[in-house]
Protein backbone atom coordinates (compact mmCIF):
# COMPACT_ATOMS: atom_id res chain seq x y z
CA UNK A 1 0.00 0.00 0.00
CA UNK A 2 1.05 3.56 -0.69
CA UNK A 3 1.51 5.74 2.39
CA UNK A 4 -0.01 8.81 0.71
CA UNK A 5 -3.66 8.83 -0.33
CA UNK A 6 -4.22 8.83 -4.07
CA UNK A 7 -5.48 12.14 -5.46
CA UNK A 8 -8.23 10.31 -7.32
CA UNK A 9 -10.40 7.97 -5.27
CA UNK A 10 -10.10 4.25 -5.94
CA UNK A 11 -13.75 3.24 -5.86
CA UNK A 12 -15.31 -0.20 -6.42
CA UNK A 13 -17.50 -0.96 -9.46
CA UNK A 14 -20.87 0.86 -9.36
CA UNK A 15 -23.45 1.11 -8.00
CA UNK A 16 -22.47 3.24 -5.00
CA UNK A 17 -23.32 6.73 -3.79
CA UNK A 18 -21.64 10.12 -4.22
CA UNK A 19 -22.14 13.21 -2.07
CA UNK A 20 -21.24 16.21 -4.23
CA UNK A 21 -20.49 19.17 -1.96
CA UNK A 22 -19.90 22.41 -3.86
CA UNK A 23 -19.09 25.53 -1.90
CA UNK A 24 -18.05 29.14 -2.08
CA UNK A 25 -15.70 30.11 0.74
CA UNK A 26 -16.25 33.26 2.76
CA UNK A 27 -13.18 35.47 3.41
CA UNK A 28 -10.82 34.55 6.25
CA UNK A 29 -9.63 31.20 7.57
CA UNK A 30 -10.94 30.92 11.14
CA UNK A 31 -9.70 27.36 11.59
CA UNK A 32 -11.15 26.17 8.29
CA UNK A 33 -8.09 24.30 7.04
CA UNK A 34 -7.72 22.36 10.26
CA UNK A 35 -11.43 21.51 10.36
CA UNK A 36 -11.42 20.36 6.73
CA UNK A 37 -8.53 17.97 7.34
CA UNK A 38 -10.18 16.69 10.52
CA UNK A 39 -13.48 16.03 8.72
CA UNK A 40 -11.71 13.97 6.03
CA UNK A 41 -9.89 11.97 8.72
CA UNK A 42 -13.06 11.43 10.77
CA UNK A 43 -15.40 10.74 7.85
CA UNK A 44 -13.08 8.11 6.42
CA UNK A 45 -13.43 6.06 9.62
CA UNK A 46 -17.19 5.71 9.08
CA UNK A 47 -18.59 2.37 7.82
CA UNK A 48 -19.40 2.52 4.13
CA UNK A 49 -16.85 5.24 3.29
CA UNK A 50 -15.31 4.45 -0.11
CA UNK A 51 -13.15 7.47 -0.90
CA UNK A 52 -12.98 11.23 -1.30
CA UNK A 53 -11.78 13.76 -3.88
CA UNK A 54 -11.42 17.47 -3.31
CA UNK A 55 -10.31 20.59 -5.16
CA UNK A 56 -10.53 24.32 -4.47
CA UNK A 57 -9.45 27.00 -6.89
CA UNK A 58 -8.05 30.48 -6.33
CA UNK A 59 -11.57 31.92 -6.80
CA UNK A 60 -12.73 30.22 -3.60
CA UNK A 61 -14.99 27.71 -5.34
CA UNK A 62 -14.45 24.20 -4.01
CA UNK A 63 -15.83 20.79 -4.85
CA UNK A 64 -15.53 17.80 -2.56
CA UNK A 65 -17.02 14.48 -3.63
CA UNK A 66 -17.18 11.68 -1.09
CA UNK A 67 -18.18 8.16 -2.07
CA UNK A 68 -20.28 5.82 0.03
CA UNK A 69 -21.59 2.28 -0.05
CA UNK A 70 -25.21 3.29 0.51
CA UNK A 71 -27.54 6.03 1.75
CA UNK A 72 -27.56 4.73 5.30
CA UNK A 73 -23.78 5.28 5.51
CA UNK A 74 -24.29 8.87 4.35
CA UNK A 75 -27.02 9.49 6.93
CA UNK A 76 -24.81 8.20 9.76
CA UNK A 77 -21.90 10.44 8.77
CA UNK A 78 -24.17 13.46 8.39
CA UNK A 79 -25.46 12.89 11.96
CA UNK A 80 -21.97 12.63 13.53
CA UNK A 81 -21.85 15.14 16.40
CA UNK A 82 -18.46 16.62 15.52
CA UNK A 83 -19.52 16.80 11.87
CA UNK A 84 -22.74 18.59 12.87
CA UNK A 85 -20.70 21.19 14.76
CA UNK A 86 -18.57 21.71 11.63
CA UNK A 87 -21.71 21.99 9.47
CA UNK A 88 -23.07 24.75 11.74
CA UNK A 89 -19.78 26.63 11.67
CA UNK A 90 -19.72 26.22 7.90
CA UNK A 91 -23.00 28.11 7.66
CA UNK A 92 -22.13 30.78 10.23
CA UNK A 93 -18.54 31.44 9.18
CA UNK A 94 -16.74 29.46 6.48
CA UNK A 95 -19.08 29.39 3.50
CA UNK A 96 -21.03 32.13 1.78
CA UNK A 97 -23.01 29.41 -0.02
CA UNK A 98 -22.97 25.68 -0.66
CA UNK A 99 -24.95 22.95 -2.33
CA UNK A 100 -25.11 19.28 -1.38
CA UNK A 101 -26.27 16.72 -3.92
CA UNK A 102 -26.73 13.04 -3.14
CA UNK A 103 -26.37 10.90 -6.24
CA UNK A 104 -26.28 7.23 -7.15
CA UNK A 105 -23.27 6.41 -9.33
CA UNK A 106 -24.48 4.13 -12.10
CA UNK A 107 -21.48 3.98 -14.44
CA UNK A 108 -17.80 4.84 -14.22
CA UNK A 109 -14.71 4.67 -16.41
CA UNK A 110 -11.24 6.09 -16.23
CA UNK A 111 -7.85 6.61 -17.78
CA UNK A 112 -4.31 6.52 -16.47
CA UNK A 113 -1.17 7.12 -18.51
CA UNK A 114 1.58 4.45 -18.56
CA UNK B 1 -30.17 37.97 -15.47
CA UNK B 2 -26.64 38.29 -14.21
CA UNK B 3 -24.01 38.67 -16.93
CA UNK B 4 -21.52 36.43 -15.11
CA UNK B 5 -22.30 32.73 -14.55
CA UNK B 6 -22.87 31.80 -10.92
CA UNK B 7 -20.01 29.86 -9.36
CA UNK B 8 -22.47 27.27 -8.07
CA UNK B 9 -24.86 25.77 -10.60
CA UNK B 10 -28.55 26.63 -10.29
CA UNK B 11 -30.09 23.25 -10.92
CA UNK B 12 -33.78 22.25 -10.92
CA UNK B 13 -35.26 19.92 -8.30
CA UNK B 14 -34.01 16.31 -8.62
CA UNK B 15 -33.99 13.88 -10.25
CA UNK B 16 -31.38 14.79 -12.87
CA UNK B 17 -27.94 13.48 -13.80
CA UNK B 18 -24.41 14.50 -12.81
CA UNK B 19 -21.20 13.71 -14.67
CA UNK B 20 -18.38 13.83 -12.11
CA UNK B 21 -15.08 14.30 -13.95
CA UNK B 22 -12.05 14.10 -11.66
CA UNK B 23 -8.62 14.57 -13.17
CA UNK B 24 -4.94 14.95 -12.47
CA UNK B 25 -3.27 17.39 -14.87
CA UNK B 26 0.00 16.51 -16.57
CA UNK B 27 2.71 19.21 -16.61
CA UNK B 28 2.55 22.00 -19.20
CA UNK B 29 -0.37 23.86 -20.71
CA UNK B 30 -0.41 23.01 -24.42
CA UNK B 31 -3.63 24.88 -25.09
CA UNK B 32 -5.44 23.31 -22.14
CA UNK B 33 -6.98 26.49 -20.72
CA UNK B 34 -8.39 27.55 -24.06
CA UNK B 35 -9.81 24.07 -24.71
CA UNK B 36 -11.38 23.89 -21.25
CA UNK B 37 -13.19 27.20 -21.75
CA UNK B 38 -14.30 26.13 -25.23
CA UNK B 39 -15.71 22.84 -23.94
CA UNK B 40 -17.77 24.65 -21.28
CA UNK B 41 -19.11 27.05 -23.92
CA UNK B 42 -19.89 24.26 -26.38
CA UNK B 43 -21.31 21.79 -23.87
CA UNK B 44 -23.68 24.36 -22.45
CA UNK B 45 -25.36 24.71 -25.86
CA UNK B 46 -26.36 21.03 -25.83
CA UNK B 47 -30.00 20.11 -25.11
CA UNK B 48 -30.46 18.89 -21.56
CA UNK B 49 -27.49 20.82 -20.12
CA UNK B 50 -28.44 22.12 -16.65
CA UNK B 51 -25.23 23.63 -15.30
CA UNK B 52 -21.56 23.09 -14.49
CA UNK B 53 -19.22 23.55 -11.53
CA UNK B 54 -15.46 23.33 -11.67
CA UNK B 55 -12.46 23.67 -9.36
CA UNK B 56 -8.76 22.87 -9.68
CA UNK B 57 -6.27 23.21 -6.87
CA UNK B 58 -2.58 24.04 -6.88
CA UNK B 59 -1.77 20.30 -6.71
CA UNK B 60 -3.22 19.81 -10.20
CA UNK B 61 -6.27 17.85 -9.03
CA UNK B 62 -9.44 19.12 -10.64
CA UNK B 63 -13.11 18.27 -10.35
CA UNK B 64 -15.72 19.32 -12.88
CA UNK B 65 -19.33 18.33 -12.36
CA UNK B 66 -21.78 18.93 -15.18
CA UNK B 67 -25.51 18.45 -14.70
CA UNK B 68 -27.87 17.02 -17.29
CA UNK B 69 -31.55 16.35 -17.73
CA UNK B 70 -31.09 12.69 -18.65
CA UNK B 71 -28.63 10.06 -19.86
CA UNK B 72 -29.45 10.65 -23.51
CA UNK B 73 -28.28 14.27 -23.19
CA UNK B 74 -24.99 13.01 -21.72
CA UNK B 75 -24.50 10.52 -24.56
CA UNK B 76 -25.05 13.21 -27.20
CA UNK B 77 -22.51 15.57 -25.63
CA UNK B 78 -19.97 12.78 -25.22
CA UNK B 79 -20.28 12.00 -28.95
CA UNK B 80 -19.81 15.63 -30.11
CA UNK B 81 -16.95 15.61 -32.64
CA UNK B 82 -15.07 18.58 -31.19
CA UNK B 83 -15.52 17.12 -27.71
CA UNK B 84 -14.15 13.76 -28.92
CA UNK B 85 -11.05 15.51 -30.25
CA UNK B 86 -10.61 17.17 -26.84
CA UNK B 87 -11.08 13.82 -25.08
CA UNK B 88 -8.32 12.26 -27.18
CA UNK B 89 -5.94 15.14 -26.51
CA UNK B 90 -6.82 14.87 -22.83
CA UNK B 91 -5.52 11.31 -22.82
CA UNK B 92 -2.44 11.98 -24.96
CA UNK B 93 -1.36 15.26 -23.40
CA UNK B 94 -3.35 17.09 -20.73
CA UNK B 95 -4.17 14.49 -18.08
CA UNK B 96 -2.02 11.92 -16.33
CA UNK B 97 -5.21 10.27 -15.10
CA UNK B 98 -8.92 10.88 -14.86
CA UNK B 99 -12.14 9.23 -13.75
CA UNK B 100 -15.63 9.81 -15.08
CA UNK B 101 -18.64 8.85 -12.98
CA UNK B 102 -22.23 9.14 -14.21
CA UNK B 103 -24.65 9.51 -11.32
CA UNK B 104 -28.35 10.14 -10.80
CA UNK B 105 -28.94 13.00 -8.37
CA UNK B 106 -31.71 11.91 -6.02
CA UNK B 107 -31.68 14.64 -3.36
CA UNK B 108 -30.21 18.13 -3.02
CA UNK B 109 -30.16 20.94 -0.50
CA UNK B 110 -28.19 24.10 -0.08
CA UNK B 111 -27.34 27.17 1.91
CA UNK B 112 -26.70 30.79 1.04
CA UNK B 113 -25.88 33.57 3.50
CA UNK B 114 -28.04 36.70 3.61
Amino acid sequence: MSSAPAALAQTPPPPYYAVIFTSQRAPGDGGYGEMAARMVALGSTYPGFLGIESARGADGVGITVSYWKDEESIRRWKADMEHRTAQAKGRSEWYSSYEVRIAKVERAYGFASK
Side-chain angles (χ1 to χ4, degrees), chain A:
Chain A
M1 282 179 64
S2 167
S3 57
L8 307 192
Q10 306 296 308
T11 41
Y16 52 87
Y17 275 81
V19 178
I20 306 166
F21 177 70
T22 316
S23 63
Q24 175 71 56
R25 283 275 281 119
D29 186 81
Y32 174 76
E34 191 178 342
M35 177 283 296
R38 168 68 183 154
M39 286 302 110
V40 171
L42 181 61
S44 64
T45 68
Y46 264 69
F49 175 87
L50 300 176
I52 188 165
E53 295 166 334
S54 197
R56 187 173 302 279
D59 59 357
V61 173
I63 304 176
T64 296
V65 189
S66 58
Y67 301 101
W68 300 88
K69 182 184 176 191
D70 50 31
E71 290 184 283
E72 179 60 19
S73 305
I74 294 168
R75 272 191 288 270
R76 285 181 187 157
W77 166 234
K78 189 186 179 189
D80 174 274
M81 282 310 295
E82 195 175 339
H83 188 197
R84 286 170 62 98
T85 302
Q87 290 165 38
K89 198 156 179 190
R91 286 186 292 271
S92 67
E93 187 167 345
W94 291 317
Y95 301 118
S96 58
S97 61
Y98 65 72
E99 189 76 17
V100 180
R101 295 177 175 96
I102 294 87
K104 185 178 187 178
V105 178
E106 299 179 345
R107 296 187 288 125
Y109 58 92
F111 159 80
S113 59
K114 280 176 251 170

